[in-house]
Amino acid sequence: MATMYALTETSPFMMSFVIVTQSGNCIVVDGGREADMPLLKKYVAGRKIKAWILTHAHNDHVDGFVAEMQKNGGADFDIDKVYYNFPDYDALIGNKNVPDYAYFCQELNEILPAFNGIKDKFADKAHIVRQGEKISVDELEIEFLYALHDGLYSNLMNDASLVFKITGGEKTVLFLGDLGPEGGDVLYRESRHKLKADIVQMAHHGHMNVGMEVYAAVAPKACVWCAPVWLYEEAERPDWMTDEWFAGDEKRRRMYGTAVTRAWLKQLGVQTHYVTGNGTQTIEF
Ligand SMILES: [Fe+2]
């Protein structure tokens, strides 16, 4: 049986998982920000990281990895391979044929240039993930169900999230990264027959995420929310989401808050919710 730790937030809204195999090696998913590195190191505890999977190029997921590479080339970790597939900055930055160019540039500039600046420090370990690829880490099987689809420009980085299943001896965990509504539509169209899983990592921290049909196809028994408790419990439309806020930001047009998401899961009969805001969650699978 493998043990998965969904690490609690030492920086807001971050996502970080450590999965320890029966042989005592591990898989890291994202890792959070620089401020989250001490906790990550505590849970990795010197184990070999056979796969470090970076879901997408946002600070709350990969800033810590970038900071460690900048600091000492990742020397505090024993890394075998780094799996990712990020958008091509140079090919996209001049593309003004997008729904909201200012937002598009903000997305591209958040951390991708910093990541591109440290790529040479782990070039021998880098593996660009292709959709459909399967890898093994000790007894665990990982299948990548979704990777970067060019053309999803209204929610560029989130909709470039890797989606993958990790199957252990007894259960399957599905990671949805920060996939948004449009990416979720593509995932559903292409791979709905492969989505079934026992445990699901809620897309985009449980809000502004994939549609209900994705969760219906997953039919999970348990959900992992990388979210503070207040977000998990948030009203569907809190006061700060004004009409102007909705109108001004292309990616918000299809908004699902945590309240709607929780209602879907209740409808689907899910009774177990792990929320990282309550502390690091330990899940065996
Ligand atoms: Fe995120």
Side-chain angles (χ1 to χ4, degrees):
M1 202 179 280
T3 305
M4 176 166 81
Y5 300 100
L7 302 196
T8 195
E9 329 185 300
T10 36
S11 80
F13 305 106
M14 71 92 192
M15 173 161 144
S16 180
F17 288 85
V18 175
I19 298 157
V20 180
T21 69
Q22 280 172 5
S23 314
N25 298 305
C26 71
I27 299 167
V28 172
V29 180
D30 286 345
R33 296 189 184 79
E34 187 174 7
D36 303 300
M37 290 301 99
L39 188 65
L40 179 65
K41 287 173 189 175
K42 182 179 156 194
Y43 278 88
V44 169
R47 295 183 183 93
K48 179 177 279 297
I49 300 173
K50 287 207 161 176
W52 193 325
I53 302 172
L54 302 171
T55 61
H56 68 294
H58 269 159
N59 282 331
D60 55 324
H61 298 255
V62 304
D63 173 72
F65 177 85
V66 170
E68 291 293 323
M69 286 292 161
Q70 285 170 340
K71 188 179 74 178
N72 56 14
D76 295 357
F77 295 98
D78 179 8
I79 307 171
D80 261 7
K81 281 227 171 329
V82 180
Y83 295 87
Y84 71 98
N85 188 344
F86 294 168
D88 182 336
Y89 184 91
D90 294 332
L92 293 175
I93 192 67
N95 182 0
K96 296 195 172 162
N97 189 23
V98 296
D100 181 341
Y101 184 62
Y103 182 72
F104 186 72
C105 290
Q106 195 185 310
E107 288 278 275
L108 281 168
N109 283 312
E110 184 174 307
I111 196 160
L112 192 52
F115 178 83
N116 288 338
I118 49 97
K119 274 202 304 204
D120 60 327
K121 296 185 188 292
F122 64 96
D124 54 329
K125 297 168 182 166
H127 183 98
I128 308 298
V129 174
R130 282 174 292 104
Q131 185 167 313
E133 214 169 324
K134 294 178 185 175
I135 61 170
S136 301
V137 173
D138 297 337
E139 80 278 15
L140 303 177
E141 299 292 330
I142 305 176
E143 181 176 5
F144 292 96
L145 303 179
Y146 178 100
L148 180 68
H149 282 61
D150 191 35
L152 295 176
Y153 294 150
S154 62
N155 189 6
L156 176 72
M157 286 306 171
N158 289 339
D159 280 343
S161 292
L162 290 176
V163 172
F164 52 97
K165 280 199 302 198
I166 304 184
T167 303
E170 298 182 12
K171 290 174 186 161
T172 294
V173 186
L174 178 71
F175 286 85
L176 292 170
D178 274 2
L179 209 63
E182 292 171 352
D185 290 349
V186 175
L187 173 70
Y188 185 77
R189 204 162 56 232
E190 294 178 344
S191 302
R192 61 185 173 278
H193 56 292
K194 292 184 170 180
L195 293 175
K196 178 81 192 77
D198 302 283
I199 300 160
V200 65
Q201 171 253 318
M202 299 301 294
H204 195 239
H205 316 270
H207 69 152
M208 301 178 200
N209 57 345
V210 300
M212 183 189 182
E213 61 280 5
V214 172
Y215 294 110
V218 178
K221 292 186 187 68
C223 299
V224 184
W225 301 67
C226 297
V229 174
W230 68 259
L231 177 61
Y232 175 70
E233 293 176 344
E234 194 177 49
E236 181 55 22
R237 188 163 170 183
D239 295 344
W240 59 268
M241 281 185 202
T242 59
D243 289 344
E244 294 74 40
W245 186 86
F246 266 93
D249 192 335
E250 184 70 27
K251 78 170 181 154
R252 316 293 189 193
R253 299 262 162 86
R254 270 172 73 190
M255 168 73 193
Y256 306 121
T258 51
V260 157
T261 311
R262 273 184 277 117
W264 294 341
L265 296 163
K266 191 172 176 193
Q267 202 77 31
L268 294 170
V270 178
Q271 290 180 355
T272 305
H273 293 281
Y274 301 97
V275 181
T276 59
N278 284 323
T280 295
Q281 306 293 308
T282 305
I283 303 157
E284 311 244 289
F285 72 103

